[in-house]
Amino acid sequence: MPDVRITYDKTADAAYVHFTDPRDEVHSARMYPCDPVDVDGMINLDFDERGRLIGIEVLAARSKLPEYVIESAERLDPEPPHSG
């Protein structure tokens, strides 16, 4: 099973699940927002020009995703330096 790339931005509390090869430069041609009332937040599905699902954006990610997913995601925001 292929690895799925997940990125997370703590400042925005947004996660993105990528379904594309990291070597490919793929852009979203169409975004389908899921009803925020039904999911108690915002989840967007991104599709390429051929109609293939390329990723899922999850806003308010800490309240929607398991903690282990957030903790293992690639960080997009700069992490503060560790005090020692």
Side-chain angles (χ1 to χ4, degrees):
M1 181 171 171
D3 289 333
V4 174
R5 179 176 174 227
I6 301 172
T7 55
Y8 177 70
D9 184 325
K10 183 177 182 178
T11 305
D13 191 20
Y16 197 87
V17 181
H18 302 259
F19 296 122
T20 57
D21 187 324
R23 298 168 293 189
D24 295 339
E25 187 172 325
V26 179
H27 299 284
S28 177
R30 184 171 57 90
M31 185 267 298
Y32 175 78
C34 294
D35 188 342
V37 174
D38 289 342
V39 297
D40 193 27
M42 181 59 77
I43 298 174
N44 299 315
L45 305 176
D46 287 334
F47 296 88
D48 69 9
E49 63 282 342
R50 292 197 266 174
R52 293 178 300 187
L53 181 64
I54 60 171
I56 301 171
E57 178 184 37
V58 181
L59 303 178
R62 285 212 174 265
S63 68
K64 300 289 168 256
L65 298 173
E67 186 66 26
Y68 80 91
V69 172
I70 300 291
E71 295 303 319
S72 64
E74 176 186 334
R75 295 294 293 267
L76 297 179
D77 55 292
E79 291 200 53
H82 296 284
S83 58

